[in-house]
């Protein structure tokens, strides 16, 4: 069985990895543009992924996996300083 894993942090990209549990191998699939200082990824309903952006005014992003690329689909200000978690 194969699983998708998203990896992020204070980097310009969110990386999609694939893990094959049968062979116990993991490989990099793609890099997608990340929100600035993305510190948290949280799965939501219907394939939506949420991310906080630790910037001075604070932002929360919605993202969606389109094939092998992660696409930013929305953004809102948290009106709080540098949120670490938005859920």
């Amino acid at each position: 069985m194969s699983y998708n894993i998203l990896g992020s942090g204070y980097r310009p990209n969110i990386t999609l990895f694939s893990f094959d549990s049968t062979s116990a191998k993991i490989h990099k699939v793609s890099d997608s543009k990340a929100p600035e200082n993305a510190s948290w990824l949280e799965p939501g309903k219907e394939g939506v992924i949420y991310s906080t952006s630790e910037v001075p005014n604070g932002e929360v992003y919605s993202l969606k996996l389109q094939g092998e690329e992660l696409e930013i689909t929305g953004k809102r200000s948290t009106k709080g300083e540098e949120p670490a978690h938005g859920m």
Side-chain angles (χ1 to χ4, degrees):
M1 180 157 219
S2 182
Y3 299 91
N4 286 333
I5 301 167
L6 292 173
S8 186
Y10 278 48
R11 347 179 348 239
N13 298 313
I14 296 174
T15 302
L16 174 63
F17 297 94
S18 179
F19 172 70
D20 183 334
S21 61
T22 305
S23 66
K25 295 196 184 229
I26 190 168
H27 74 275
K28 180 179 168 180
V29 175
S30 66
D31 279 322
S32 299
K33 183 172 174 24
E36 183 180 1
N37 294 339
S39 63
W40 193 271
L41 296 173
E42 182 79 26
K45 294 181 181 179
E46 299 178 20
V48 176
I49 299 160
Y50 297 98
S51 175
T52 56
S53 180
E54 289 191 32
V55 294
N57 293 324
E59 295 171 333
V60 175
Y61 285 77
S62 61
L63 308 109
K64 193 140 188 168
L65 194 59
Q66 303 289 343
E68 294 182 346
E69 299 292 321
L70 201 59
E71 178 182 308
I72 295 172
T73 58
K75 159 178 127 169
R76 293 273 192 259
S77 172
T78 64
K79 300 188 179 44
E81 189 172 333
E82 299 181 358
H85 189 264
M87 305 314 283

